[in-house]
């Protein structure tokens, strides 16, 4: 699905290239198209996993890295990111995987910078809770 | 009672590099004094490093051919629309040329030695007695004005929408 969305992004960009007015960088313009396309796909196909916003911090939290192998950790992180809500997943992907600044993300998504910071904060807390949950399951098994 | 949420925010600001030196020192000192905070810090640190090491998926080898196939199929689908647009422009250009030639011939007057206008203009002149051209001129001006509005205002809106396609 991700690849299909990426392909559609390039098709849309190709069709709309003549309307690009250089008010933003080409990179931002392309990412905006990618973001909108991904949203469309997400709306059509994805079932969101809603998590509680109020995450309590576990007092005896330990490093998840110390328990699981690195590859498994990467897979687990990717799965956890995919389980986030669309907005949080978008922010985490752009911030970490695409190494974008908050300002760049704001240009792409039309969200305010403070809104993005809040989404990022929630996303990371949710991810942390998910990973802690996985760690506990592993400890039990 | 420690406000963990506020501390978490501060810890993430630390990892994002948004804390001043003095704030960093204060945070690190607090971590030394409080084991629970230290545990949160380590948990955040491990997640932060995991996310930083994460890499985006690479496209499959058939990605480019897939894009090209989609472009080819969509350009076939939209060709009819552009043909209509072209036909509209050709029609308007032809109408304006005919209008200009007719006006020129009427202004020039009948051919010397005769009281006859050239064929097309004579026909038009006799048919409408000048009012036709007046109306045609008004109509053409209106049309050109509408076209300008379409190009300048609506065209701009279309371009703006296309920057953030939905």
């Amino acid at each position: 699905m991700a690849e299909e969305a990426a392909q559609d992004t390039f098709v849309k960009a190709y069709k709309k290239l003549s309307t690009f007015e250089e008010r933003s960088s080409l990179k931002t313009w392309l990412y905006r198209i990618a973001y909108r396309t991904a949203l469309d796909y997400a709306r059509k196909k994805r079932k969101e996993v809603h998590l509680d916003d109020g995450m309590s911090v576990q007092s005896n939290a330990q490093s998840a890295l110390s328990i699981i192998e690195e590859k498994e950790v990467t897979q687990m992180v990717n799965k956890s990111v995919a389980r986030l809500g669309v907005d949080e997943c978008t922010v985490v992907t752009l911030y970490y995987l695409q190494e974008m600044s908050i300002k760049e993300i704001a240009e792409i998504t039309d969200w305010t910078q403070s809104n993005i910071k809040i989404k990022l904060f929630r996303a990371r807390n949710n991810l942390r809770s998910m990973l802690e949950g996985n760690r506990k399951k592993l400890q039990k098994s | 009672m420690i406000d963990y949420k506020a501390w978490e925010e501060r810890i993430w600001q630390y990892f994002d590099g948004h804390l001043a030196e003095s704030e960093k020192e204060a945070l690190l000192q607090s971590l030394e004094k409080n084991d629970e905070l230290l545990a949160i810090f380590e948990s955040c640190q491990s997640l932060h490093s995991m996310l930083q090491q994460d890499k985006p998926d690479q496209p499959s080898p058939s990605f480019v051919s897939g894009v090209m196939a989609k472009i080819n199929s969509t350009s076939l689908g939209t060709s009819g629309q552009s043909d209509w647009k072209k036909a509209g422009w050709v029609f308007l250009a032809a109408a304006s040329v005919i209008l200009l030639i007719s006006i020129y011939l009427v202004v020039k007057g009948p051919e010397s030695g005769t009281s006859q206008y050239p064929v097309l203009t004579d026909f038009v002149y006799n048919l409408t007695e000048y009012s036709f051209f007046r109306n045609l001129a008004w109509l053409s001006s209106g049309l050109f004005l509408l076209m300008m509005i379409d190009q300048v205002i609506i065209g701009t809106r279309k371009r703006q929408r296309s920057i953030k396609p939905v």
Side-chain angles (χ1 to χ4, degrees):
Chain A
M1 190 174 83
E3 183 152 314
E4 213 177 315
Q7 283 181 337
D8 279 358
T9 299
F10 283 103
V11 173
K12 283 182 185 175
Y14 170 77
K15 285 163 74 178
K16 304 281 181 185
L17 193 59
S18 59
T19 63
F20 174 60
E21 289 179 324
E22 298 182 31
R23 284 186 296 182
S24 62
S25 69
L26 187 64
K27 179 187 165 187
T28 304
W29 183 72
L30 205 55
Y31 267 102
R32 281 175 77 97
I33 298 174
Y35 168 61
R36 303 278 169 180
T37 309
L39 273 187
D40 285 346
Y41 270 82
R43 283 192 198 113
K44 282 176 195 167
K45 295 180 182 177
R46 186 173 169 185
K47 289 179 181 175
E48 282 185 48
V49 178
H50 294 287
L51 294 167
D52 292 333
D53 282 346
M55 293 290 176
S56 61
V57 176
Q58 303 296 321
S59 59
N60 59 344
Q62 292 174 1
S63 167
L65 268 176
S66 60
I67 297 166
I68 324 162
E69 293 294 328
E70 197 177 332
K71 271 191 175 179
E72 287 174 333
V73 169
T74 308
Q75 282 180 347
M76 195 179 283
V77 170
N78 286 341
K79 279 182 185 173
S80 302
V81 171
R83 282 177 63 203
L84 291 170
V86 176
D87 291 357
E88 291 174 5
C89 182
T90 303
V91 171
V92 168
T93 305
L94 293 175
Y95 190 76
Y96 281 104
L97 272 79
Q98 303 300 325
E99 295 176 2
M100 286 185 174
S101 66
I102 302 286
K103 192 184 168 193
E104 283 176 311
I105 298 171
E107 283 176 8
I108 290 164
T109 57
D110 280 341
W111 297 328
T112 60
Q113 292 192 30
S114 57
N115 195 4
I116 290 166
K117 282 177 188 170
I118 291 167
K119 286 181 198 294
L120 188 61
F121 178 73
R122 283 183 184 165
R124 291 193 283 207
N125 272 353
N126 286 343
L127 282 173
R128 217 153 54 82
S129 299
M130 280 190 228
L131 293 172
E132 288 300 328
N134 286 331
R135 184 185 63 81
K136 280 179 184 171
K137 275 182 195 169
L138 282 169
Q139 273 181 334
K140 279 182 186 174
S141 64
Chain B
M1 183 77 184
I2 297 174
D3 183 2
Y4 282 111
K5 199 178 173 185
W7 277 106
E8 275 178 58
E9 274 182 39
R10 186 152 288 198
I11 288 168
W12 283 121
Q13 283 174 345
Y14 171 81
F15 287 119
D16 290 337
H18 296 155
L19 286 187
E21 281 302 318
S22 58
E23 289 173 319
K24 275 185 198 174
E25 277 179 27
L27 175 69
L28 294 174
Q29 280 173 4
S30 303
L31 292 175
E32 284 173 10
K33 291 174 194 166
N34 189 325
D35 287 346
E36 285 187 26
L37 274 184
L38 185 64
I40 296 168
F41 181 85
E42 284 174 350
S43 173
C44 293
Q45 190 176 31
S46 110
L47 175 65
H48 189 65
S49 64
M50 277 191 272
L51 288 168
Q52 278 185 321
Q53 284 163 18
D54 205 5
K55 287 172 186 168
D57 294 335
Q58 295 299 311
S60 69
S62 62
F63 182 82
V64 175
S65 57
V67 173
M68 293 314 294
K70 281 187 178 186
I71 285 173
N72 288 336
S73 64
T74 51
S75 60
L76 283 172
T78 54
S79 62
Q81 201 179 2
S82 59
D83 284 348
W84 275 107
K85 208 172 180 181
K86 277 180 196 167
W89 279 105
V90 168
F91 172 77
L92 283 166
S96 54
V97 167
I98 291 170
L99 174 71
L100 285 171
I101 291 172
S102 303
I103 290 171
Y104 169 73
L105 291 174
V106 167
V107 169
K108 192 182 164 194
E111 288 177 9
S112 57
T114 68
S115 59
Q116 294 292 308
Y117 283 87
V119 180
L120 174 69
T121 314
D122 188 38
F123 169 74
V124 172
Y125 176 78
N126 289 333
L127 191 70
T128 62
E129 292 179 350
Y130 281 109
S131 63
F132 173 80
F133 292 109
R134 202 168 46 240
N135 292 335
L136 197 60
W138 278 112
L139 190 66
S140 303
S141 308
L143 270 174
F144 284 123
L145 195 66
L146 283 173
M147 281 169 62
M148 264 175 57
I149 290 168
D150 177 52
Q151 287 298 308
V152 176
I153 298 172
I154 300 172
T156 307
R157 279 187 194 159
K158 279 178 188 169
R159 282 191 290 277
Q160 281 172 345
R161 276 203 299 274
S162 70
I163 290 168
K164 42 179 180 178
V166 178

